[in-house]
Amino acid sequence: MEAKIESAIEIAWNPTADQSLKRQAFNFLNDLRSEPTVWQMCACLFMRVPRASDIVRHTALELINNAVQSQQLDGQNLITLRDGLVNMHIRQIYGRHEPQIGIDSPSIQNKLAQTITYLFEVLYENEWASFFADFYGLAHQGFSQPPTEFNIAALMLYLRILSSIHDQIADVLVPRTPEQQKSSTQLKDLIRQRDAQKVAHSWQEVLSPRWQAGREEVIDLCLKVVSHWVSWTDISLVVNEALLTPLYQLVVNGDTLAGNSDDKVRTSAIGTVTEIVAKKMKPRDKIELIGFLNLGNMIDQLISSAPLWKMQATSGYDTEMAEAVAKLVNTAACDIIRSLGVEPDGTARTRADELLQLFIPWVLRFFSDEYDEVSSAVIPSLNDLVAMFRRDLKTKGSLDAQHQSMLSPILNAVILKMKYDETTSWANEDEQSDEAEFQDLRKRLQVLQQAVAAVDETLYFEVINNVVNNTFEKVAQQGSQVDWRDLDLALYEMYLFGELAVKSGGLYSKGQPTNPAAGILTRMLANMIQSGIAAFPHPSIQLQYMEICVRYHAFFENNPNMIPDVLENFVRFVHHDHVRVKTRSWYLFQRFVKQLRSHLGNVSQTVIQAIGDLLEIKAEPTGQDSGNDSLSMDPGQNSAENIFNSQLYLFEAIGCIASVSSVPVEKQAMIAQSVSAPLYSDLEKYLSSAKAGDEQATLQIQHTIMALGTLARGFSDGTPGVSPSASAKAAGAVSDEFERSAEAIVVSLESLNTSYGIRTAARFAFSRLLAVLGARILPQLPRWIQGLLSANSTKDEITTFLRLLEQVIYGFKSEMYSMLEALLTPLLHRVFAELAQPTTGTDDAIQLSELKREFLNLILVIMNNKLGSVLVSNGNTPDKAYRCREKKELTRHLVNQSNFESLLSVIELFAKDISDLSTAKPAFTVLIGMCSEWGGPDVVPMSGSTQPAAAAATTNGTTDHSALPGFSRFMIERFSADCWGLPTNPAFNPRDAQARQVIAEIASLQKTIYCKTGDEFLAYLRDIWFPSLALENSVAEQYVSALQTRDLKGFRQFFLGGLGHVALFLCIAMDGAVERAG
């Protein structure tokens, strides 16, 4: 069996093995995890001589670990396993200075330590009290006497086991169940009681200076163990002369003592001191600890050491050590600040304040470090410090002078840290990850900077104003000789400053800055434009210039004289050689002109001539790059698709510029025609090739259609049915041109409606043409629908089109009636055909559910916009049909009776679909809408009280109050029956949240039917419906009483619980009553 296990492991982890064999091997190994005797075979396999491969031995230990953790071994078997591993392996391999076979590899030692730890968990309390002595005794004579010589292999295993024990029972990052947490706490208590002092004594011996030389690996591991255990053992075991003396020596001069030239031991020693300082204790005790450890002297020596002082700004700078010292400084500073927050005035607070004054320069020194990982280490302490300042300011009204003096250097350090590093090349492909990390750091620094501003707004205003305006002055004097990093910093700070300036709702109020910050920002903006910064050649500066101009467009609304210069700069940027600047400028240019369109004046012709060369569409298949820009920050930035999507903003920008009121109507139409004409030519040129299946031609037409639609969007305000200009003449003149655009697009759509891309582009253009054409597009609507809803259309496409149709209905309302009457039949047929298609996967099922809901929403939109009569006859009444319960006759007097019957059948199917409750709810909402639309006036108010009956029509002796004669009976006999489909389904769970929403809609439908028909509905329930279901008379009467006397809210509550559940959830079958829990 051992051979079989070994073979399975080898196959499972062999990358070249046959996949079917690998699956069998993994299945076999997984099955072994539940085999109660597998631990014995795995123990033999692990200890076998000659040894198996490391992966086999590692997996064998993993299977043993699983058996121990899953409690497959009883007490005797656990002892047997322990004795086997300790006596037959550990003592034989680690207990000898010269073992017959080699020491286990580090990975096997770690896994073995984990196995020993699992055994420790279950045996230490009662069966293995000598645990620590056993393993430390292998390293030398034991705890009882000082060592004369260490067995290094045994000592390393001992330290690995100590580290593993901490990870298992004390690591706060490891999630544990309450039972595991309780067990771990008990073990820690037992260790503290029995062996913690002995274990600490072993650390002192290992760290003794006479054993350090040349044993840096042992010392490093021991230091890490101490840093782990100190968090849950008594502080006195660590804070004593015997341990602190060698620890201090390692911190101050660890490389010399350990014989290690790379400061690894020193860094570990610093980390150990950090964990000692971080140990939880009372604030006053922590201040005493910091003083006792003489941290000030220690940190001062570390900062003055060669790796951090002489080597700073050189390649020999030890960043790992710097980060370790920064973490130590941060930990101590956080505790000092915490002490100041809770200590009242007195000696302890005075001492804490003195320590704060000592530590703040060190915090700022590491915060200003050129390496971001070092700077980030002390950000938490700065956040805590500024937060303390804010609390003091709130409670005392002002800051102490010494605390106030700290704000300026902190703010200056934050600003300086936001600057790009001297070695950074902006947008370098090889430094993308570094750039992302730097931007993340900037966000963290922004939070800190805003906190400083909240403490001292005046200081913040002054510092930022100086940084920004001084930089702009340098640009005005020196031009491109200014370091782009300085200018980038100034613009970035200016961009952030605006958040404070516009916090009152905007830059201006009644023509004046809204607050002092807004006034400063407006002066910054004026200086930025006048300094000529737009001519600075660096791409980062140009991008930020545009971003700022767009973000603070309100400045230009109040300073329109500056718009021409900025607009000229934008026109220059849209032709930029750098793809990132160019494509981003296309979007920002559109934003700028759209927001300031009323202030642009008659510049449309000039701008269009300047950017006309950028309007040529050159479709390229996806995957081809339109350029090779090595400065692109985004790998997909210069893809053909992304460039075209950005190019569309230029078309919209032209529409925005051309459609301003200062441009004559004829000129607006001429501009629209001049831009559209080349696009029409493209459609005509490529149409025949696209019909023949040329993908390039099809993509060209797709892009051209989208360009036409986007141009139309620029001429409109995006609202269907609203003219794009205040002048009706202008609307007509411009609409004439876009009517030609719509015709060109719909012709292309009719020819290529089998192409998904063409349909998508046409739908894109249609939604934008609506706003500029208004009702003039409605005569084309049947052609649009026929093209967009082809046989190839997906569920998602149909859903999107239905949303678009809802927009049209909302925009044009009554103008849509005759159009809807003609479109309803083909539209319903297409939707019904798609609903009938089987689903082929999860995505398809999601799309089907969305289509159902959007279809129901369309019906609601039709009825909510007073167009519900399009679904039924205008000239005939269904009175005779409604009195007949045969389905085929119910709608025989409707104009589109087959459509209406299909519509009702689909809605009723949705209302009874237990598998899709999210659709059932809107289905009942539609039925409620039909009752409200065609049920006539309420004969009983929703409040449940009685009132005189409304005037009624009588048909063959039956009172009918409905707007459609005969519809009252239809509601009673059909819609009421629909209410019981879901609640009586055995799979229906009334406690489900979605189910409760559906029940509420069902209750609303019942109440609506009663309000429309009154006593006639009650009589039907009493005399016909409930008896047909064999429902007890008492239950039926209570239900009818609740329906009659309660208002809508009260009846919903009744329906959701109490007696309503009895009526609803008895699950009444047609052949008799079936009991069900309610």
Side-chain angles (χ1 to χ4, degrees):
M1 187 63 176
E2 293 173 26
K4 190 174 181 180
I5 295 174
E6 182 176 8
S7 177
I9 295 172
E10 294 284 8
I11 292 172
W13 272 269
N14 183 355
T16 63
D18 180 75
Q19 291 300 315
S20 61
L21 280 177
K22 287 173 71 75
R23 282 193 296 270
Q24 293 177 36
F26 276 118
N27 291 335
F28 173 74
L29 294 174
N30 284 330
D31 292 340
L32 284 180
R33 298 174 73 87
S34 58
E35 174 59 45
T37 61
V38 70
W39 65 272
Q40 296 171 330
M41 293 174 281
C42 288
C44 293
L45 188 58
F46 171 74
M47 294 183 289
R48 188 190 72 191
V49 178
R51 287 177 178 172
S53 64
D54 272 5
I55 188 61
V56 171
R57 301 180 74 215
H58 191 281
T59 306
L61 287 176
E62 176 59 32
L63 290 170
I64 292 173
N65 292 349
N66 174 73
V68 175
Q69 283 193 297
S70 59
Q71 301 179 355
Q72 295 178 19
L73 283 72
D74 59 21
Q76 186 57 49
N77 284 334
L78 287 169
I79 294 173
T80 301
L81 175 61
R82 176 200 67 183
D83 293 344
L85 290 174
V86 172
N87 296 329
M88 299 177 63
H89 182 75
I90 294 175
R91 291 190 185 278
Q92 296 298 318
I93 302 300
Y94 298 91
R96 300 179 179 181
H97 287 278
E98 296 181 1
Q100 295 178 351
I101 57 177
I103 300 297
D104 295 320
S105 65
S107 63
I108 295 297
Q109 288 186 49
N110 288 332
K111 198 66 179 177
L112 178 60
Q114 187 183 55
T115 303
I116 297 299
T117 299
Y118 291 151
L119 290 172
F120 164 82
E121 275 193 294
V122 293
L123 295 177
Y124 177 65
E125 181 175 3
N126 299 314
E127 302 293 341
W128 206 353
S130 62
F131 178 87
F132 294 102
D134 289 348
F135 286 99
Y136 190 55
L138 294 175
H140 76 98
Q141 294 87 344
F143 288 126
S144 60
Q145 49 188 309
T148 56
E149 184 180 0
F150 275 118
N151 179 344
I152 298 301
L155 183 58
M156 287 293 291
L157 180 63
Y158 167 71
L159 294 173
R160 291 181 195 274
I161 291 172
L162 293 183
S163 181
S164 178
I165 288 173
H166 165 80
D167 294 342
Q168 183 64 20
I169 68 174
D171 191 339
V172 295
L173 298 180
V174 175
R176 298 180 180 86
T177 64
E179 293 77 13
Q180 291 172 333
Q181 186 62 48
K182 180 180 179 182
S183 175
S184 297
T185 301
Q186 291 173 347
L187 268 178
K188 287 187 288 185
D189 290 340
L190 197 57
I191 293 171
R192 285 189 284 257
Q193 177 185 342
R194 286 182 180 174
D195 293 309
Q197 190 168 0
K198 296 177 183 178
V199 172
H201 183 69
S202 72
W203 300 336
Q204 297 169 13
E205 293 178 339
V206 173
L207 296 177
S208 176
R210 64 188 181 124
W211 301 116
Q212 290 179 2
R215 292 176 178 173
E216 60 272 8
E217 187 177 3
V218 175
I219 296 171
D220 182 62
L221 182 55
C222 184
L223 289 169
K224 290 177 180 176
V225 169
V226 174
S227 66
H228 288 157
W229 280 56
V230 70
S231 63
W232 55 277
T233 54
D234 193 283
I235 189 66
S236 63
L237 299 178
V238 177
V239 181
N240 54 67
E241 185 177 356
L243 195 143
L244 288 181
T245 298
L247 181 60
Y248 190 92
Q249 292 175 342
L250 289 170
V251 169
V252 174
N253 201 11
D255 55 329
T256 301
L257 290 174
N260 186 13
S261 60
D262 63 0
D263 282 333
K264 179 180 178 181
V265 171
R266 172 185 278 179
T267 301
S268 296
I270 296 169
T272 302
V273 176
T274 302
E275 292 301 323
I276 293 173
V277 175
K279 184 172 176 63
K280 294 182 179 179
M281 58 182 68
K282 294 179 180 179
R284 180 168 299 192
D285 295 339
K286 182 60 67 72
I287 296 299
E288 292 180 3
L289 175 64
I290 292 173
F292 180 80
L293 293 174
N294 198 13
L295 275 187
N297 183 53
M298 181 187 296
I299 293 172
D300 188 56
Q301 290 191 52
L302 286 170
I303 293 177
S304 302
S305 64
L308 298 188
W309 179 256
K310 293 182 180 179
M311 297 296 182
Q312 192 174 12
T314 71
S315 59
Y317 185 58
D318 191 338
T319 56
E320 291 187 5
M321 180 179 170
E323 185 176 0
V325 179
K327 289 179 179 178
L328 174 58
V329 170
N330 178 75
T331 301
C334 286
D335 284 325
I336 293 168
I337 294 165
R338 195 173 297 113
S339 298
L340 285 170
V342 298
E343 287 291 342
D345 292 339
T347 305
R349 182 176 180 84
T350 301
R351 178 57 180 152
D353 227 338
E354 292 173 353
L355 287 173
L356 182 64
Q357 297 292 328
L358 177 66
F359 271 79
I360 286 302
W362 294 334
V363 171
L364 293 177
R365 178 261 181 258
F366 288 108
F367 181 72
S368 304
D369 196 279
E370 63 176 312
Y371 291 94
D372 293 344
E373 59 268 26
V374 178
S375 300
S376 298
V378 295
I379 289 179
S381 59
L382 285 174
N383 282 328
D384 288 352
L385 180 64
V386 177
M388 183 188 75
F389 290 164
R390 294 183 68 177
R391 289 193 301 269
D392 290 350
L393 187 64
K394 184 176 181 180
T395 55
K396 300 178 182 178
S398 62
L399 295 180
D400 297 338
Q402 56 187 3
H403 291 171
Q404 180 71 42
S405 65
M406 295 179 185
L407 284 174
S408 181
I410 290 174
L411 180 58
N412 287 324
V414 171
I415 294 172
L416 187 61
K417 193 60 192 175
M418 285 186 173
K419 181 180 175 181
Y420 272 98
D421 188 81
E422 295 294 333
T423 61
T424 302
S425 298
W426 183 84
N428 192 322
E429 290 281 355
D430 297 330
E431 299 178 0
Q432 286 187 27
S433 60
D434 292 341
E435 171 73 13
E437 291 174 0
F438 176 66
Q439 294 303 330
D440 182 66
L441 175 63
R442 269 187 165 181
K443 292 177 182 177
R444 296 171 62 191
L445 294 172
Q446 178 187 351
V447 174
L448 180 57
Q449 181 172 282
Q450 289 173 338
V452 174
V455 176
D456 192 337
E457 200 172 73
T458 302
L459 172 67
Y460 176 67
F461 289 173
E462 179 183 349
V463 172
I464 297 299
N465 187 54
N466 290 337
V467 168
V468 174
N469 287 324
N470 289 345
T471 305
F472 289 161
E473 288 179 10
K474 287 175 63 178
V475 173
Q477 296 170 5
Q478 303 175 23
S480 60
Q481 295 180 359
V482 176
D483 189 340
W484 71 268
R485 297 170 183 84
D486 293 331
L487 191 47
D488 172 89
L489 176 64
L491 291 175
Y492 183 73
E493 287 291 355
M494 180 179 172
Y495 188 85
L496 297 181
F497 186 83
E499 295 184 2
L500 188 62
V502 299
K503 67 179 182 180
S504 301
L507 273 181
Y508 291 92
S509 176
K510 298 180 180 179
Q512 296 297 320
T514 54
N515 53 55
I520 294 173
L521 180 61
T522 57
R523 291 190 290 274
M524 289 181 183
L525 288 165
N527 291 340
M528 179 188 75
I529 296 169
Q530 294 167 359
S531 68
I533 193 175
F536 198 87
H538 197 275
S540 171
I541 309 307
Q542 296 161 348
L543 281 173
Q544 290 202 67
Y545 172 85
M546 291 185 287
E547 296 280 359
I548 289 172
C549 289
V550 170
R551 186 178 195 184
Y552 304 115
H553 61 89
F555 170 78
F556 298 99
E557 293 176 357
N558 288 268
N559 297 273
N561 59 304
M562 293 189 174
I563 293 178
D565 289 341
V566 176
L567 196 60
E568 182 179 347
N569 290 327
F570 267 101
V571 171
R572 180 164 50 86
F573 292 144
V574 298
H575 290 89
H576 206 284
D577 294 333
H578 192 310
V579 68
R580 183 180 176 190
V581 176
K582 179 169 63 176
T583 55
R584 182 65 178 170
S585 70
W586 293 348
Y587 164 72
L588 295 172
F589 175 60
Q590 178 268 334
R591 287 279 309 279
F592 186 76
V593 299
K594 184 175 183 178
Q595 292 164 340
L596 298 173
R597 63 195 303 174
S598 60
H599 301 274
L600 294 179
N602 191 5
V603 298
S604 56
Q605 194 66 40
T606 304
V607 172
I608 293 169
Q609 289 175 354
I611 67 173
D613 59 310
L614 299 173
L615 301 180
E616 182 181 0
I617 295 176
K618 296 179 180 179
E620 297 180 19
T622 303
Q624 291 187 12
D625 285 348
S626 62
N628 183 21
D629 191 337
S630 61
L631 296 180
S632 174
M633 284 293 296
D634 182 355
Q637 181 88 29
N638 54 353
S639 69
E641 182 180 1
N642 286 343
I643 289 178
F644 169 70
N645 289 335
S646 298
Q647 187 182 19
L648 288 176
Y649 290 115
L650 293 177
F651 287 93
E652 184 172 352
I654 287 175
C656 292
I657 296 172
S659 59
V660 298
S661 58
S662 59
V663 178
V665 175
E666 295 76 11
K667 192 171 184 179
Q668 289 187 32
M670 181 194 70
I671 292 171
Q673 194 279 330
S674 65
V675 176
S676 300
L679 301 177
Y680 299 155
S681 299
D682 275 1
L683 291 178
E684 184 178 359
K685 175 182 178 181
Y686 291 101
L687 186 58
S688 58
S689 299
K691 285 182 180 180
D694 187 329
E695 292 186 6
Q696 178 78 18
T698 303
L699 186 61
Q700 184 75 25
I701 290 178
Q702 176 184 337
H703 286 184
T704 302
I705 289 173
M706 295 176 72
L708 286 169
T710 306
L711 178 65
R713 181 177 182 174
F715 275 86
S716 71
D717 62 2
T719 305
V722 179
S723 297
S725 169
S727 167
K729 181 180 179 183
V734 174
S735 294
D736 287 343
E737 185 57 42
F738 285 109
E739 194 168 4
R740 284 190 286 273
S741 297
E743 178 64 26
I745 294 172
V746 81
V747 167
S748 301
L749 175 62
E750 289 171 334
S751 302
L752 302 170
N753 68 346
T754 57
S755 168
Y756 173 81
I758 296 297
R759 295 195 304 271
T760 301
R763 188 168 57 248
F764 172 92
F766 178 77
S767 64
R768 287 152 178 78
L769 287 166
L770 270 175
V772 72
L773 287 178
R776 295 179 66 169
I777 202 173
L778 295 183
Q780 291 182 346
L781 195 56
R783 297 169 63 193
W784 283 96
I785 292 179
Q786 185 177 5
L788 294 173
L789 299 184
S790 71
N792 304 89
S793 297
T794 64
K795 293 181 179 66
D796 192 48
E797 285 185 84
I798 298 174
T799 301
T800 304
F801 179 78
L802 292 181
R803 294 193 188 104
L804 188 58
L805 187 57
E806 292 162 14
Q807 178 187 357
V808 176
I809 293 171
Y810 176 79
F812 305 113
K813 295 181 175 64
S814 59
E815 297 171 277
M816 283 293 298
Y817 184 85
S818 59
M819 192 65 60
L820 268 180
E821 199 168 32
L823 294 176
L824 192 62
T825 297
L827 179 62
L828 291 179
H829 285 173
R830 184 65 188 88
V831 173
F832 293 158
E834 195 62 37
L835 291 174
Q837 295 297 318
T839 55
T840 56
T842 303
D843 291 343
D844 197 33
I846 293 173
Q847 290 183 8
L848 177 63
S849 183
E850 291 176 350
L851 176 59
K852 291 178 182 178
R853 289 193 292 272
E854 205 56 51
F855 167 70
L856 292 170
N857 194 53
L858 174 65
I859 303 301
L860 281 174
V861 169
I862 289 174
M863 293 190 294
N864 290 341
N865 285 280
K866 309 302 180 184
L867 298 171
S869 57
V870 76
L871 302 172
V872 297
S873 171
N874 288 325
N876 299 296
T877 58
D879 53 334
K880 185 176 179 180
Y882 286 138
R883 290 197 304 275
C884 179
R885 298 194 63 188
E886 290 297 326
K887 218 173 187 183
K888 293 181 179 178
E889 297 183 21
L890 279 176
T891 54
R892 65 184 180 85
H893 288 290
L894 298 175
V895 170
N896 293 315
Q897 57 180 308
S898 61
N899 290 335
F900 188 73
E901 178 59 28
S902 298
L903 175 65
L904 283 178
S905 298
V906 168
I907 295 172
E908 290 172 326
L909 180 65
F910 294 165
K912 299 173 184 177
D913 188 357
I914 191 69
S915 65
D916 191 0
L917 295 180
S918 62
T919 300
K921 179 180 180 293
F924 280 108
T925 305
V926 170
L927 295 179
I928 294 170
M930 289 181 172
C931 293
S932 300
E933 178 79 9
W934 302 316
D938 290 353
V939 298
V940 176
M942 277 288 178
S943 62
S945 61
T946 59
Q947 70 172 20
T954 302
T955 306
N956 294 337
T958 301
T959 302
D960 191 349
H961 306 278
S962 59
L964 289 175
F967 193 72
S968 294
R969 202 65 191 167
F970 190 67
M971 289 188 293
I972 292 172
E973 296 185 357
R974 186 156 173 175
F975 286 2
S976 178
D978 293 334
C979 294
W980 306 92
L982 273 180
T984 57
N985 189 314
F988 187 74
N989 178 15
R991 295 179 180 85
D992 179 77
Q994 282 190 328
R996 293 179 67 83
Q997 293 179 357
V998 175
I999 293 172
E1001 288 301 293
I1002 293 173
S1004 297
L1005 178 56
Q1006 287 275 293
K1007 189 69 177 176
T1008 302
I1009 295 173
Y1010 170 64
C1011 290
K1012 297 297 182 183
T1013 60
D1015 291 340
E1016 186 180 358
F1017 182 43
L1018 300 182
Y1020 174 79
L1021 292 175
R1022 287 193 187 101
D1023 302 337
I1024 299 175
W1025 181 249
F1026 288 147
S1028 72
L1029 302 178
L1031 188 67
E1032 294 182 7
N1033 289 337
S1034 60
V1035 176
E1037 281 301 321
Q1038 288 177 321
Y1039 179 86
V1040 168
S1041 175
L1043 180 62
Q1044 183 178 17
T1045 59
R1046 300 193 182 202
D1047 60 10
L1048 178 58
K1049 181 178 180 181
F1051 184 66
R1052 276 184 168 181
Q1053 293 173 345
F1054 169 81
F1055 214 71
L1056 285 167
L1059 189 61
H1061 276 192
V1062 177
L1064 285 170
F1065 308 124
L1066 285 176
C1067 191
I1068 304 170
M1070 296 306 293
D1071 58 345
V1074 179
E1075 291 186 358
R1076 183 177 179 196

